[in-house]
């Protein structure tokens, strides 16, 4: 390593925050310590609110706190914007935000970064104006990015401590249980938010649909502190946007066709096979090709896994 590179490396290491350690090899950090999922909180009544102002007051949201969100509604989510807009109208600053992903519709989050009110941003995916602002060095603190699984590990281990989780919830019953399967803005199972639910100091379910009782739940009321009732948590029709749309680009379609053809030629698409695909226009096009082939050959698989968008 030449002297210039060595000097630059040492300068960077000297400016690392205390909590961060430089990567020194795959076998240099072998600690298996972790935090077990805590027992349910002491039995209490879940408080129902109609005003976000009252939630902020009662939970004493203040400078330096970390607030988290999930992204199951993707570009149709309005909970992130609602909370960020509220912060923008207060004296709160140096706030840390931990959404599981950031989409172009999150314009109020971008506004907070422009105003210098956001310190750290901890997320897994960024698109839109927020990404442009970070690229332009407008974030006052640090950007930390994980995989989706890495985010769950960071929360459960305590590396990412959440003060208040605001969780968009398509249906909530009168006990405070929540589900993603029912209501005008149903989005499916709420898996991304399970670590937020169980480890955040305070949990607020944000919903536009309160029902008497839910038979199937994602969020157990035992972990919930409050429910905020709003007109709309978002627009479920916007879940299919960006990377959740099958590609129409000729090159990407050709890649998808060749990939599906390879799987068929290798004999992998057969009765009992399993398949995973995540979000992404090209991978979804592969899934569409495999679907057609399965229907044509009357092939029945065993299970599908992953971001089954």
């Amino acid at each position: 390593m030449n002297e210039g590179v060595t000097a630059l490396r040492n300068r960077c290491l000297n400016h690392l925050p205390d909590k961060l350690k430089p990567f020194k090899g795959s076998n240099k950090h072998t600690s298996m310590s972790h935090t077990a999922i805590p027992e349910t909180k002491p039995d209490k009544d879940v408080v129902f609110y109609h005003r976000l102002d009252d939630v902020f007051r009662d939970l004493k949201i203040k400078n330096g706190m970390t607030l988290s969100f999930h992204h199951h509604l993707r570009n149709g989510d309005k909970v992130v914007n609602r909370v960020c807009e509220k912060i923008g109208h207060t004296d709160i600053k140096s706030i840390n935000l931990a959404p599981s992903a950031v989409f172009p519709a999150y314009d109020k989050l971008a506004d907070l970064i422009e105003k210098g009110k956001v310190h750290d941003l901890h997320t897994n995916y960024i698109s839109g104006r927020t990404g442009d602002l970070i690229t332009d060095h407008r974030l006052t603190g640090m950007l930390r990015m994980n995989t989706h699984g890495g985010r769950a590990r960071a929360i459960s281990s305590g590396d990412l401590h959440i003060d208040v989780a605001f969780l968009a919830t398509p249906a909530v019953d009168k006990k405070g249980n929540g589900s993603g399967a029912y209501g005008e803005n149903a989005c499916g199972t709420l898996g991304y938010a399970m670590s937020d639910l169980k480890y955040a100091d305070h949990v607020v379910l944000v919903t536009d649909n309160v029902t008497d009782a839910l038979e199937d739940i994602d969020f157990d009321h035992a972990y919930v502190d409050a429910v905020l009732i709003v007109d709309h948590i978002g627009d479920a029709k916007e879940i299919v946007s960006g990377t959740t749309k099958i590609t129409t680009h000729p090159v990407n379609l050709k890649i998808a066709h060749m990939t599906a053809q390879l799987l068929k030629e290798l004999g992998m698409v057969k009765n009992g096979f399993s398949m995973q695909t995540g979000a992404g226009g090209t991978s979804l096009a592969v899934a569409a090709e495999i679907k057609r082939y399965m229907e044509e050959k009357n092939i029945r698989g065993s299970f599908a896994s992953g971001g089954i968008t």
Side-chain angles (χ1 to χ4, degrees):
M1 190 180 293
N2 64 50
E3 292 182 4
V5 173
T6 301
L8 176 62
R9 176 181 179 276
N10 291 337
R11 198 156 62 243
C12 290
L13 292 181
N14 289 336
H15 284 85
L16 277 177
D18 293 338
K19 288 184 179 180
L20 300 183
K21 299 177 182 178
F23 180 72
K24 294 181 178 180
S26 59
N27 295 318
K28 297 296 182 181
H29 181 75
T30 56
S31 172
M32 295 298 289
S33 63
H34 63 281
T35 303
I37 293 177
E39 295 296 323
T40 56
K41 296 176 181 178
D43 195 24
K44 62 190 183 315
D45 291 331
V46 176
V47 182
F48 283 72
Y49 293 87
H50 286 87
R51 285 165 35 91
L52 184 57
D53 289 1
D54 296 337
V55 175
F56 267 59
R57 180 199 65 219
D58 289 355
L59 296 186
K60 297 179 174 57
I61 294 175
K62 60 186 179 181
N63 297 347
M65 277 189 166
T66 298
L67 311 182
S68 76
F69 312 85
H70 71 72
H71 74 282
H72 284 281
L73 286 166
R74 300 178 73 86
N75 212 44
D77 182 276
K78 287 185 169 56
V79 172
V80 172
N81 279 340
R82 187 183 295 269
V83 174
C84 288
E85 185 173 30
K86 167 63 182 173
I87 294 169
H89 291 154
T90 69
D91 295 329
I92 295 172
K93 56 187 177 181
S94 298
I95 205 78
N96 304 309
L97 297 179
S100 53
V102 176
F103 288 86
Y106 299 3
D107 56 321
K108 301 302 181 184
L109 189 159
D111 289 347
L112 287 187
I113 292 175
E114 276 194 316
K115 293 175 182 177
K117 281 178 166 279
V118 177
H119 190 259
D120 289 351
L121 180 64
H122 198 139
T123 190
N124 307 341
Y125 168 88
I126 302 176
S127 59
R129 186 158 62 97
T130 298
D132 294 336
L133 289 169
I134 292 171
T135 302
D136 199 31
H137 307 288
R138 301 290 295 277
L139 185 67
T140 59
M142 179 172 285
L143 169 67
R144 292 175 171 86
M145 297 194 73
N146 290 110
T147 61
H148 289 312
R151 178 181 185 274
R153 182 216 57 81
I155 294 171
S156 66
S157 69
D159 289 345
L160 173 55
H161 173 258
I162 298 168
D163 293 290
V164 184
F166 287 92
L167 306 181
T169 312
V172 175
D173 67 22
K174 291 181 179 178
K175 286 187 69 175
N177 297 304
S179 171
Y182 311 99
E184 180 183 356
N185 287 301
C187 59
T189 182
L190 297 166
Y192 285 122
M194 295 311 295
S195 49
D196 304 65
L197 176 79
K198 293 187 175 181
Y199 290 94
D201 289 349
H202 298 284
V203 174
V204 181
L205 305 188
V206 185
T207 191
D208 51 19
N209 176 30
V210 177
T211 187
D212 287 336
L214 291 169
E215 184 176 349
D216 301 309
I217 65 170
D218 296 303
F219 297 155
D220 190 319
H221 74 280
Y223 293 99
V224 177
D225 298 280
V227 174
L228 174 64
I229 304 169
V230 299
D231 292 336
H232 296 287
I233 60 171
D235 183 358
K237 292 191 293 294
E238 292 296 317
I239 293 173
V240 180
S241 59
T243 57
T244 52
K245 284 186 175 179
I246 293 179
T247 184
T248 58
H249 193 283
V251 173
N252 293 342
L253 285 173
K254 184 174 182 180
I255 293 171
H257 175 74
M258 293 173 69
T259 303
Q261 190 63 34
L262 175 64
L263 296 178
K264 290 183 281 186
E265 294 290 339
L266 290 173
M268 300 180 75
V269 185
K270 58 187 178 181
N271 283 327
F273 86 109
S274 59
M275 183 174 179
Q276 177 189 1
T277 181
T282 304
S283 61
L284 294 178
V286 174
E289 288 253 359
I290 295 300
K291 171 190 172 182
R292 285 191 289 270
Y293 182 72
M294 291 173 68
E295 289 176 337
E296 177 189 333
K297 300 295 185 181
N298 198 27
I299 294 172
R300 188 181 185 88
S302 57
F303 70 89
S305 174
I308 327 168
T309 45

